[in-house]
């Protein structure tokens, strides 16, 4: 059976902390101790990453040669880029509320959640079948968007999907249907992928990462 298998590694925390700065992953990047806790991943055929500095640093810390992929870039926060959620909530609570409840809204002048979900879904459809396991290192927003597509849920569900920092999400496509697993993938098979001939790689995941999808309200 020809399948597509993708494991996404979340480089940053999900937006939601009131002190979080939009578009600034440096405050939410894992510390060295977190990155030092290792869990083996199945062999991957190729690795890609978002073009952001946090994703580049995480790939470097893992010694993963990941190719930058523009389609995996973080949500464009427009005028809110570099600003704290707390400040935006105080300055323009209505705009923030609209953005968090309407996936088509972009009061910041950047990218709407719906457009991010469409962009991510389009990239998922480009993944070739039968060419080995793909590892993608990217921001939580893109992982959330991928889950919206794989779970076939409305874009308004985006904010109800919490993806912990350094969590892994494995998406498998068989016969046109996606299956989803969140958490540390099984590591029983360490043989190189025949399609690309890569060797197994150890990817750090903190022990506290949940093993099930966390559906939460804001």
């Amino acid at each position: 059976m020809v399948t597509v298998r993708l494991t996404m590694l979340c480089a940053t925390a999900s937006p939601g902390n009131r002190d979080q700065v939009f578009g600034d992953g440096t405050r939410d990047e894992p510390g060295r101790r977190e990155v030092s806790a290792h869990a083996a991943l199945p062999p991957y055929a190729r690795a890609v990453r978002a073009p952001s500095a946090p994703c580049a640093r995480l790939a470097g810390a893992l010694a993963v040669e990941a190719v930058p992929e523009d389609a995996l870039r973080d949500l464009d926060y427009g005028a809110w880029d570099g600003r704290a959620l707390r400040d935006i909530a105080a300055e323009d609570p209505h705009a923030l509320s609209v953005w968090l409840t309407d996936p088509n809204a972009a009061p910041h002048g950047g990218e709407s959640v719906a457009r991010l979900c469409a962009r991510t879904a389009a990239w998922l459809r480009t993944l070739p079948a039968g060419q080995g396991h793909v590892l993608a290192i990217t921001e939580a927003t893109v992982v959330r968007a991928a889950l919206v597509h794989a779970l076939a849920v409305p874009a308004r569900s985006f904010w109800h999907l919490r993806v912990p920092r350094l969590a892994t999400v494995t998406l498998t496509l068989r016969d046109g249907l996606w299956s989803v697993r969140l958490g540390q993938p099984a590591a029983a098979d360490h043989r190189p992928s025949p399609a690309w001939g890569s060797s197994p790689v150890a990817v750090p995941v903190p022990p506290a990462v949940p093993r099930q999808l966390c559906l939460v309200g804001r």
Side-chain angles (χ1 to χ4, degrees):
M1 180 183 296
V2 178
T3 64
V4 172
R5 193 174 185 199
L6 166 71
T7 291
M8 306 184 80
L9 176 59
C10 183
T12 57
S14 294
N17 186 321
R18 290 180 63 82
D19 293 322
Q20 183 170 346
V21 177
F22 285 126
D24 182 0
T26 56
R27 296 190 183 187
D28 292 318
E29 287 184 76
R32 290 184 179 274
R33 290 187 178 181
E34 287 182 272
V35 176
S36 66
H38 286 74
L41 277 172
Y44 57 82
R46 63 188 179 105
V48 293
R49 64 169 176 83
S52 66
C55 291
R57 283 190 286 268
L58 180 56
L62 300 173
V64 173
E65 294 185 6
V67 178
E69 172 58 65
D70 186 64
L72 294 176
R73 67 189 181 276
D74 195 7
L75 178 73
D76 178 1
Y77 295 99
W80 293 352
D81 187 68
R83 300 191 60 197
L85 175 62
R86 180 186 300 275
D87 295 338
I88 296 168
E91 179 182 301
D92 197 346
H94 175 71
L96 183 61
S97 177
V98 169
W99 183 59
L100 293 173
T101 54
D102 181 1
N104 292 298
H108 45 57
E111 186 176 29
S112 69
V113 166
R115 287 184 63 87
L116 169 66
C117 291
R119 162 162 61 90
T120 305
W123 179 77
L124 289 172
R125 288 191 288 268
T126 68
L127 294 176
Q131 293 193 20
H133 198 144
V134 178
L135 172 66
I137 301 173
T138 188
E139 276 84 8
T141 54
V142 178
V143 180
R144 279 176 158 179
L147 285 171
V148 166
H149 177 71
L151 296 172
V153 295
R156 64 176 178 272
S157 302
F158 178 89
W159 294 113
H160 296 275
L161 300 170
R162 177 174 296 170
V163 183
R165 179 177 53 193
L166 292 183
T168 54
V169 173
T170 297
L171 308 177
T172 304
L173 179 66
R174 293 190 181 95
D175 295 332
L177 296 176
W178 287 99
S179 62
V180 177
R181 179 169 59 187
L182 175 63
Q184 178 181 329
D189 185 1
H190 295 289
R191 293 171 298 176
S193 170
W196 295 78
S198 65
S199 58
V201 62
V203 174
V205 180
V209 169
R211 296 298 186 264
Q212 60 182 3
L213 193 64
C214 181
L215 301 178
V216 298
R218 286 185 294 277

